[in-house]
Amino acid sequence: CQKRVQVSWDDGSVRWALFDFQIDLAAGESAALAAEYSPQISDAITGAGIEATPTPARLLVDAGRLRLAFRREGYAFPAEIELRRKTGWQPVTGVTGALSAIELVDGDGKRYEVRQVDEIELEESGPLRATVRLTARHRAPDGSTLFRSILRVSAYWDLPYLRVQHTFENDATERPFTHIRSLRLSANLDQGWLEKVPSGDSSLSLEDGTVHLLQSTADVFQVCQGEAVRGEGAHAPPWWATSGQSGAAAVAMRDFWQNYPKGWEIGPDGLRIEVCPDISAVSYASEDKLEVVRTTYYLQEGGYKLKHGMARTHDMLFCFGGDAAAVRDPLRLFGTPPLVRTEPELLQRTSVL
């Protein structure tokens, strides 16, 4: 496994450690694991592993199944991704610059974008997992900035998915509140992945128009294609996908409907993840003043009222495969991840937590 000491005792012994390991489990399955600690135990990982290669222009991460490139200029969200196939590397994202990586619209309609990043850091580099941290300010054409985004992109050895954690921060400290209309993340996908969108037991053809989902409240979501309503209900699935002749690409977000309003859009240029969707047509007014104070106090006047210093993180998993069915299992596990727990008898016997 891959390991890192987090905290040590005064004598140098390990107090807290982080372990990365890979194990195949189906939904509902369990497995017994043992941790051995001794000077006689070898911890070497056999075989190949993740390779990270920094250059002045970009950071390249080869994770076996996926290859990622992170550039300061012309940054593509979440990275320029290639999938290893029998015939070689196949482009997935970052092939065009039609969509800016991140787009923020303030309360007056002014647009701020991220097309370049300020910092790229290889935060964790090991044979099984590598994590890249990116920091970027949202910039308007006139050079002004509003808010900051921090991204952590984690790749795993010989696995066809990425974990992406996006945090936005309101660093406009000169005023107590800032109003914004929307904030979304966009991935430019190769056209071979953009033909249809799974919807229930069938699929929607992108030839008929862009597909959009909005979870507007805790118990209302709607899927639209153009003016037509293609689906609706109480709680939207926490994942969405697109597929074509090149394969299937899917994204899951933890606690998607619970953190309403949330949305996504898949169109001819790629995928948009609406962290703060446009809610100008949604009313959150209520006669129940207590409910407003508890849940919708920041969702007023058709936008978002965000206090200075606040930050919000969204946890996502990007998965790539041959078809939509192949990418669903990792997404389901991401929503309800396996738990690693220590047997109570061991805690009692060793007094080690």
Side-chain angles (χ1 to χ4, degrees):
C1 68
Q2 179 177 322
K3 66 183 186 303
R4 176 158 59 92
V5 176
Q6 305 283 69
V7 182
S8 300
W9 293 103
D10 292 339
D11 64 359
S13 59
V14 177
R15 184 173 184 180
W16 293 101
L18 175 66
F19 295 92
D20 283 90
F21 55 90
Q22 295 183 357
I23 182 171
D24 292 327
L25 286 177
E29 275 191 334
S30 62
L33 305 172
E36 296 181 316
Y37 184 74
S38 167
Q40 287 75 42
I41 295 174
S42 172
D43 62 354
I45 297 177
T46 59
I50 296 176
E51 295 182 0
T53 307
T55 70
R58 66 176 185 173
L59 171 63
L60 183 65
V61 176
D62 187 340
R65 192 80 66 89
L66 296 177
R67 186 165 65 183
L68 318 175
F70 302 89
R71 302 179 190 272
R72 290 183 181 273
E73 300 290 336
Y75 167 65
F77 171 83
E80 294 176 27
I81 302 172
E82 295 174 290
L83 176 66
R84 185 188 290 277
R85 293 287 175 83
K86 292 180 179 180
T87 56
W89 291 103
Q90 181 182 30
V92 182
T93 66
V95 291
T96 70
L99 304 176
S100 59
I102 306 175
E103 181 188 75
L104 181 148
V105 180
D106 70 11
D108 296 323
K110 186 175 181 178
R111 294 181 181 275
Y112 300 79
E113 297 182 339
V114 169
R115 290 187 179 269
Q116 64 182 48
V117 295
D118 303 315
E119 298 176 10
I120 302 177
E121 175 189 356
L122 185 60
E123 196 170 57
E124 184 91 13
S125 181
L128 297 181
R129 176 176 62 86
T131 298
V132 178
R133 183 181 187 272
L134 305 104
T135 305
R137 301 293 301 274
H138 311 117
R139 290 180 169 84
D142 61 9
S144 59
T145 62
L146 183 66
F147 290 14
R148 181 175 75 147
S149 277
I150 299 172
L151 287 153
R152 283 183 170 86
V153 181
S154 296
Y156 305 89
W157 170 246
D158 205 29
L159 293 173
Y161 50 76
L162 303 172
R163 185 180 183 183
V164 179
Q165 296 164 295
H166 171 258
T167 301
F168 71 89
E169 298 178 347
N170 179 1
D171 56 359
T173 57
E174 66 275 7
R175 50 188 177 273
F177 292 93
T178 299
H179 289 80
I180 68 169
R181 291 186 186 177
S182 63
L183 173 63
R184 60 188 184 182
L185 318 173
S186 299
N188 292 284
L189 291 173
D190 182 78
Q191 290 297 310
W193 304 77
L194 292 167
E195 294 178 10
K196 55 187 179 180
V197 175
S199 178
D201 296 328
S202 61
S203 61
L204 303 175
S205 172
L206 288 175
E207 291 183 352
D208 298 327
T210 296
V211 180
H212 178 255
L213 179 144
L214 175 63
Q215 179 85 45
S216 56
T217 67
D219 53 8
V220 174
F221 82 87
Q222 193 172 73
V223 180
C224 295
Q225 189 172 30
E227 299 297 325
V229 176
R230 301 299 192 187
E232 54 189 351
H235 301 149
W239 64 272
W240 50 97
T242 177
S243 62
Q245 61 182 355
S246 296
V251 186
M253 179 184 288
R254 281 204 176 123
D255 303 322
F256 179 78
W257 70 263
Q258 295 92 330
N259 285 312
Y260 72 90
K262 287 290 175 284
W264 55 258
E265 182 178 282
I266 300 175
D269 295 322
L271 165 70
R272 293 181 174 91
I273 302 169
E274 298 179 337
V275 172
C276 297
D278 187 330
I279 53 173
S280 57
V282 182
S283 175
Y284 294 93
S286 173
E287 295 182 359
D288 186 345
K289 302 302 181 184
L290 181 58
E291 182 66 18
V292 171
V293 170
R294 286 191 298 190
T295 61
T296 61
Y297 62 93
Y298 70 104
L299 302 174
Q300 302 300 319
E301 301 177 4
Y304 303 81
K305 181 181 178 182
L306 305 176
K307 191 172 184 179
H308 68 80
M310 66 80 62
R312 189 78 178 271
T313 298
H314 295 84
D315 202 357
M316 295 163 281
L317 189 75
F318 284 68
C319 189
F320 311 96
D323 54 45
V327 299
R328 288 179 182 174
D329 285 344
L331 301 184
R332 291 192 182 102
L333 287 174
F334 184 69
T336 54
L339 298 177
V340 179
R341 62 181 183 181
T342 304
E343 293 297 331
E345 295 78 12
L346 180 63
L347 298 177
Q348 182 182 30
R349 187 171 67 251
T350 64
S351 299
V352 174
L353 179 60

